[in-house]
Amino acid sequence: EYELILAGGDLGPLPENVKSYERIPQLLALRHSHVFINHGGLNSLNEGLHFNVPMIAIPHSKDQFINAERLVETGKGLSLEKQQVKAHILRSCVERLLERT
């Protein structure tokens, strides 16, 4: 069983194991995380690496694409393009990362 925590505000009715908050203290959340899905920004990647949390980067602009490539090259995570983001694909990526740990 897992719990999914989202920073996204009110998303309407969610399954019992999914929590959504307007804001989340990222460093606190990373201390308890098994996978970190983020946009591939340098701060997020550095914080994920610091806490040794495998990541899925979904870059949106600028250096995020290069950062996501490097994340994959180093074996610290996976990268998805925005158009690839579907529930079944995210689930598969999370499962792959959890199998590594």
Side-chain angles (χ1 to χ4, degrees):
E1 184 63 28
Y2 64 89
E3 183 174 82
L4 177 63
I5 299 173
L6 304 169
D10 185 12
L11 300 175
L14 297 169
E16 201 171 291
N17 63 329
V18 178
K19 309 286 187 240
S20 180
Y21 302 96
E22 187 68 35
R23 294 180 161 261
I24 299 170
Q26 187 162 290
L27 296 178
L28 177 62
L30 284 170
R31 288 186 181 105
H32 306 284
S33 298
H34 297 283
V35 175
F36 178 31
I37 301 171
N38 63 76
H39 65 308
L42 195 53
N43 284 338
S44 293
L45 294 183
N46 281 332
E47 291 168 356
L49 291 169
H50 175 78
F51 287 98
N52 199 30
V53 178
M55 293 175 268
I56 300 171
I58 305 169
H60 294 259
S61 64
K62 302 178 184 164
D63 66 327
Q64 297 168 2
F65 294 99
I66 295 167
N67 297 342
E69 285 178 27
R70 189 70 182 128
L71 178 72
V72 173
E73 288 171 5
T74 60
K76 299 294 185 180
L78 303 171
S79 178
L80 293 174
E81 296 176 12
K82 285 190 287 188
Q83 62 269 25
Q84 292 178 291
V85 178
K86 308 282 187 256
H88 71 281
I89 293 173
L90 276 175
R91 181 184 197 106
S92 174
C93 289
V94 167
E95 288 171 350
R96 283 175 51 200
L97 291 174
L98 291 175
E99 288 172 1
R100 294 183 188 177
T101 57

